[in-house]
Amino acid sequence: MSGHVPIMVQEVTGFFQGAPDGTIVDGTAGGGGHLEALRLCCPERRFVAMERDPLFSAALEHRFLDDPMVTVHNRSYSEIRSFLTEPAAGALFDLGLSSLQLDDPSRGFSHRMDGPLDMRFDTSRGEPMHEVLRSMGEAEIADVIYRYGQEGRSRRIAREIRSAMPVRTTLELRSAVMKAVGGNPVKPLSRVFQAFRIFVNDELVELDRLLSGLHLWLAPLGRVAFITFHSMEDRAVKLLFRDSPHFLCTDPPWQLPSASEVRENPRARSARLRTAVVSS
């Protein structure tokens, strides 16, 4: 799949070149950009690729069809342990939304394009966001927007969304948010769309499941890296690496994309790479 530019590739590949012998997991394989780069820098290793989105998973299976060193699973990263036969030497998690998902109007992730308000990573499971919204009251909508989008005008926005129901498309949701906030709506729009996406996909629940069992399937001195894009997921990873006896933070414990990378790929501007090593 072309169109998605993987973030901080040099930093990621450099980090995993120092991993002990064994399998490396790409827990969010997406379009395969990081996976391809890791295959090139670590050609003798086996890779397990996890991808929750069935469209991406199918494309990955086709892309690596003739590569015996790569195994692809259409499952959430919280299920990794079930697909490993031995402790992994390393694991990468790019928690961001892929550009390919964001730029596809039919997925409903972007407020900039009209499309069904779906927002699910796996469209074969659960209900689309527009159906979920129909069963939510104003207070619940406000809570989701405040909790997962960190938007201070959540009650005002929730009131407009409820009054505009049924909200079936991204532009209908955009219109309700704009009516609530006025002025320059880009930041509140981004926060509301982020909040609904996190909510409908149980993203923070999945992340908590992953983090709580991460040490159980990584080998001693194994390496683990997370690319985060918002403060909620970044804080969860930071606290695990800082407080858990199972991990040792690297020096430095985190990195940002270079200025040149941000110029070439503006979507990298909010990314942060956190790395740690499993205690021996």
Side-chain angles (χ1 to χ4, degrees), residues 202-213:
D202 284 331
E203 289 183 46
L204 295 184
V205 174
E206 288 291 295
L207 181 60
D208 284 344
R209 288 174 182 163
L210 170 69
L211 296 180
S212 65

Side-chain angles (χ1 to χ4, degrees), residues 135-149:
S135 64
M136 295 172 68
E138 184 179 314
E140 187 178 4
I141 295 171
D143 182 62
V144 167
I145 294 171
Y146 184 78
R147 182 178 180 185
Y148 299 126

